[in-house]
Amino acid sequence: MRIYMEADYDGMSRRAANLISAEVIRKPDCVLGLATGSTPVGTYKQMVAWHQHGDFSFKEVRSVNLDEYRGLAPTHDQSYRYFMQTNFFDHIDILPENTNVPDGLAADPEAECARYDQLIRSLGYADLQLLGMGRNGHIGFNEPGKNFVKETHVVDLAESTIDANARFFAARDDVPRQAFTMGIGCIMAARRILLLVSGADKADAAYNAFCGPITPECPGSILQLHNDVVLVGDKAALSKLVDAGVKVSE
Ligand code: GLP
């Protein structure tokens, strides 16, 4: 595993954008696994700028997103589909039919999970999976629990996740209680994983994920078993890993 430590959020975003762009340039028809949350916003912004500058194209890229709130329409301004459109897809030349996010309004959730797994399989899994991490160590919306769940499933969001995400909604009660998420199996099937962490409030999660035991109580810890993980973080988020003597590149 390679760990890049950047001075701040902008440095993290630039490094991440470089790594994703390199994948798109190397393999124009790559499958990108994409993530939402505040962490990758700067990464998308940087890639949009380079794309608009003419550096590379997304015309052949296919994408699969990690997760979606259950019950939110794609036009809801807190849905992850809306996030992807406004932060990334609307500003690049990716074909709309090549972008995939679980359908938050699916009438039959089990069928939607099966459809999404089949879709990811048919794409041959992600060449590069971008991930953020929750303060409780969640990846996608795979919350801490007794087991790692392999396939796409509906999760009950942890109270701490509802608290953390309430900042995006008018009221805490408006935060959906459930979400669709890609399972740990699909995430781990990606050929390369790029995990981003920013800010002091992610320092414990980053430390637990890479220095702690591999346990579903910290879903991100499963990444210790993947053979091509790149972790990019700012100093604040990586401080505990550095204190523990983990080697980082700058
Ligand atoms: C959200 C998303 C995750 C994201 C995480 C961290 O709930 N489901 O994909 O990585 O929580 O979010 P943020 O980047 O805003 O801290």
Side-chain angles (χ1 to χ4, degrees), residues 94-113:
I94 195 166
L95 301 178
E97 61 270 31
N98 285 345
T99 68
N100 298 284
V101 181
D103 176 6
L105 293 184
D108 180 345
E110 267 182 41
E112 175 59 6
C113 293

Side-chain angles (χ1 to χ4, degrees), residues 171-190:
R172 190 182 187 278
D173 280 351
D174 295 342
V175 184
R177 270 32 186 179
Q178 289 189 318
F180 290 95
T181 186
M182 204 188 269
I184 293 293
C186 275
I187 293 173
M188 290 294 282

Side-chain angles (χ1 to χ4, degrees), residues 184-230:
I184 293 293
C186 275
I187 293 173
M188 290 294 282
R191 279 174 276 293
R192 171 176 262 197
I193 290 178
L194 172 58
L195 172 64
L196 308 184
V197 285
S198 170
D201 62 343
K202 296 291 172 70
D204 283 327
Y207 175 83
N208 292 336
F210 293 101
C211 293
I214 298 167
T215 165
E217 295 297 340
C218 176
S221 65
I222 194 77
L223 300 176
Q224 292 178 43
L225 297 180
H226 195 282
N227 63 12
D228 192 355
V229 175
V230 181

